[in-house]
Amino acid sequence: MTATPQTSAKTPRTERGRKTLRLILDAAAEEFGIRGYHEGSIARIAQRAGVAIGSFYTYFDSKEAVFRALVADMSRQVREHVVPCILAAPDRLAGERAGLAAYLDFVRTHKALYRIIDESAFVAEDAYRRHYVDVADGYAVSLQQAFGRGEIRGGISDGDWQVRAWAIMGMNVFLGLKFGVWDDSRPVEEIAAAAHALIADGLSPPR
């Protein structure tokens, strides 16, 4: 029998409760980012958040529950940071450049993101898969809409939107790892410009 995933169903109803939940999630990101899931502890999460152990259990039943909530929360934070930058651009190609710059900026200030998402593949595989699938599905739809506006070239078939979405996501994920987590010395705009040239022009030789 497959175990039911542990998630938090304790949504805070007050502003104070929402602030406490935010403190716990931020503390969990720090704890898991430094120690990893298996070495991380509820006691240290509570200590980092400045709350009592009992307050932790007001919102989460277990370490797995807070970890799952954290994966979903970080996924949401990435989208909220990146999507407005894409939408504010004059067209989709410019939006891809702006979106990558915003993503690199986010990663540089949330370096625990990669460790947490990668560990979720082993701790909560369904949450790990949902993180990427949800992003890719939305990405594919937005690319198709940009094509409808005449901002980008179409593919060979309708299924190409998924292929393109996953391809661009894959590029961004590894650019974030290299130039966000491992080496943050180069300006994000410089990295975004190089990637933008690849997306806009491909690898075809000059005509």
Side-chain angles (χ1 to χ4, degrees):
M1 179 180 294
T2 302
T4 301
Q6 293 173 288
T7 58
S8 172
K10 303 172 185 178
T11 303
R13 298 179 180 178
T14 66
E15 182 61 26
R16 181 180 178 183
R18 286 187 286 272
K19 287 180 179 179
T20 301
L21 177 58
R22 181 73 264 160
L23 287 171
I24 292 171
L25 287 171
D26 289 344
E30 186 177 359
E31 174 72 5
F32 293 135
I34 293 172
R35 297 178 180 274
Y37 175 78
H38 293 291
E39 295 300 320
S41 76
I42 291 174
R44 279 192 296 266
I45 291 172
Q47 183 179 38
R48 290 179 189 277
V51 302
I53 293 287
S55 294
F56 175 93
Y57 284 108
T58 298
Y59 300 96
F60 301 103
D61 293 330
S62 65
K63 185 168 73 170
E64 182 183 340
V66 72
F67 186 79
R68 286 178 172 276
L70 180 61
V71 171
D73 180 69
M74 297 198 84
S75 183
R76 177 191 56 77
Q77 286 191 62
V78 171
R79 291 194 300 271
E80 289 183 353
H81 190 82
V82 173
V83 171
C85 297
I86 296 175
L87 296 178
D91 57 59
R92 185 56 190 230
L93 286 180
E96 290 299 323
R97 179 171 177 168
L100 175 56
Y103 177 68
L104 290 172
D105 178 69
F106 182 88
V107 171
R108 289 181 177 189
T109 55
H110 299 79
K111 293 190 177 184
L113 172 70
Y114 276 76
R115 180 168 190 174
I116 291 165
I117 296 298
D118 286 350
E119 272 202 287
S120 71
F122 305 97
V123 177
E125 196 272 341
D126 58 310
Y128 171 79
R129 183 175 297 211
R130 185 164 57 250
H131 164 69
Y132 285 113
V133 169
D134 287 353
V135 173
D137 286 348
Y139 216 122
V141 169
S142 68
L143 288 175
Q144 191 167 14
Q145 290 171 340
F147 168 67
R149 295 191 299 268
E151 295 176 355
I152 60 174
R153 186 168 51 202
I156 297 173
S157 69
D158 288 342
D160 283 0
W161 299 117
Q162 278 281 333
V163 174
R164 291 180 176 199
W166 283 95
I168 295 172
M169 280 173 49
M171 179 180 73
N172 291 351
V173 165
F174 280 98
L175 287 172
L177 181 62
K178 166 61 178 172
F179 298 107
V181 178
W182 291 350
D183 176 12
D184 60 5
S185 62
R186 294 177 64 180
V188 295
E189 283 297 339
E190 184 179 297
I191 307 303
H196 176 264
L198 177 60
I199 292 174
D201 304 323
L203 297 175
S204 299
R207 291 191 178 93

